[in-house]
Amino acid sequence: MRVDIITIFPEYFGPLDLSLIGRARAAGLLDIAVHDLRTWTHDVHRTVDDTPYGGGPGMVMRPEPWGEALDALVPAPAVAAGGSDPDLAGAGEAASAGAGNAEPAGAGGAEPAGADGAGAAPARLVVPTPAGERFTQAMANRLAGERHLVFACGRYEGIDQRVLDHAATRMPVSEVSLGDYVLFGGEVAVLVMLEAITRLLPGVLGNAESLADESHAHGLLEAPGYTKPARWRGLDVPDVLRSGDHARIARWRRDQALLRTARRRPDLLARAVAELDDRDLAVLAGAGFRIEQPDMAK
Ligand code: SAM
């Protein structure tokens, strides 16, 4: 996967040299380039912001440097593609799939055409914003399937909307929020998204099985984990985990995942309800959680 990050604080991305992302980059599984937006300014102060039209506090990021940056990193495709993608978690897939027919310009193109040539997907522009669609594991899964992601890190009051509107005429654009709070800038949000996406790329995790049962993989939170010693500060590891009985351990973990999810994230459990079997429902009922299953006959 190729990743371009545009920011006025390239230093924020030092952590991308570390740990598993650093290793994935060294192994050639991930090609990340960080670009200083001010490279595409032309005044002596390297200005990237200005006062908002209509008045109000704060500054808005000017469109010109962003436009030039995106032109440089994602040259105009041979075939028009894209459109804004307000719903990457659902119907937005159509925009992504449709855009897959477009081929970025070859010579000088930022995106290598790849062996499959005409089938190469264009870049997807990802813009972190508190006004975007909420980032989830499902969205991370979909983004992990892209060949080229371009992240645009906003600062101040954000980026002039025309940058996104124009970009959407030639590539899919996703406005993504980390959650219902406001950060200083998009850099931290991009680091979070990249961690979630990178660990899903084939070959990045030593043991890909660790993805299978973790929180959010199947709509439930993961059961608690324990390691040695078996007794620590008077607290024992649950006996079942030391029993060697794999069926019982799996059942215990499933029960713990159900109960944890019911207590901490009833919203997740409500969405996973169609996947629950009678045994699951009995475990929840035994702990006082009454779950209504949808009537499939309706
Ligand atoms: N005026 C904007 C609003 O109210 O929607 C907030 C701008 S914020 C101070 C500056 C930048 O931080 C945004 O452009 C975005 O890149 C980033 N940001 C802030 N909160 C975020 C969140 N919850 N998720 C993703 N990015 C966020």
Side-chain angles (χ1 to χ4, degrees):
M1 172 185 279
R2 176 189 169 137
V3 173
D4 286 293
I5 302 168
I6 311 168
T7 170
I8 59 170
F9 292 117
E11 308 79 12
Y12 246 102
F13 294 95
L16 295 180
D17 288 329
L18 306 176
S19 184
L20 290 173
I21 293 195
R23 256 197 264 164
R25 294 176 78 182
L29 300 170
L30 190 59
D31 174 15
I32 302 181
V34 181
H35 309 275
D36 186 344
L37 178 69
R38 294 190 201 275
T39 307
W40 290 282
T41 56
H42 304 288
D43 64 311
V44 68
H45 300 297
R46 310 181 82 201
T47 310
V48 294
D49 61 319
D50 213 325
T51 53
Y53 273 117
M59 303 291 268
V60 175
M61 296 190 100
R62 292 177 62 102
E64 304 98 317
W66 282 108
E68 286 188 33
L70 292 174
D71 289 348
L73 298 174
V74 189
V79 181
S84 72
D85 183 4
D87 184 12
L88 181 66
E93 277 303 271
S96 170
N101 297 324
E103 185 180 7
E111 167 76 0
D116 49 349
R124 174 179 290 274
L125 178 62
V126 181
V127 185
T129 161
E133 183 182 342
R134 184 84 68 89
F135 187 65
T136 61
Q137 187 66 32
M139 193 188 288
N141 267 306
R142 275 182 281 273
L143 290 174
E146 300 275 353
R147 294 183 58 206
H148 184 188
L149 295 174
V150 179
F151 289 97
C153 302
R155 282 268 154 181
Y156 315 112
E157 294 305 321
I159 303 171
D160 187 304
Q161 183 61 39
R162 291 169 294 178
V163 173
L164 282 66
D165 295 345
H166 185 270
T169 64
R170 60 194 195 86
M171 68 184 104
V173 177
S174 303
E175 295 183 65
V176 182
S177 170
L178 274 205
D180 295 343
Y181 43 81
V182 178
L183 305 166
F184 281 130
E187 287 76 9
V188 171
V190 170
L191 285 172
V192 169
M193 287 190 255
L194 269 180
E195 283 234 359
I197 293 165
T198 302
R199 60 199 301 284
L200 300 173
L201 298 179
V204 169
L205 282 187
N207 183 354
E209 271 179 37
S210 49
L211 296 175
D213 289 324
E214 63 187 1
S215 297
H216 306 293
H218 303 292
L220 299 180
L221 304 179
E222 192 179 50
Y226 299 87
T227 184
K228 295 171 193 69
R231 167 166 270 245
W232 178 77
R233 296 191 176 181
L235 299 171
D236 291 323
V237 169
D239 283 343
V240 58
L241 295 179
R242 302 176 61 210
S243 68
D245 181 336
H246 296 297
R248 263 185 74 215
I249 292 171
R251 187 62 246 178
W252 182 87
R253 286 187 170 143
R254 172 84 182 166
D255 295 351
Q256 294 299 314
L258 287 164
L259 296 172
R260 238 187 182 189
T261 310
R263 286 187 196 110
R264 298 178 181 183
R265 294 294 304 276
D267 57 315
L268 291 181
L269 194 66
R271 266 182 264 153
V273 75
E275 314 294 324
L276 305 183
D277 63 20
D278 289 345
R279 172 76 164 74
D280 293 336
L281 294 170
V283 167
L284 289 165
F289 297 103
R290 303 249 164 259
I291 309 291
E292 294 292 320
Q293 272 205 313
D295 185 352
M296 294 306 189
K298 277 190 191 164

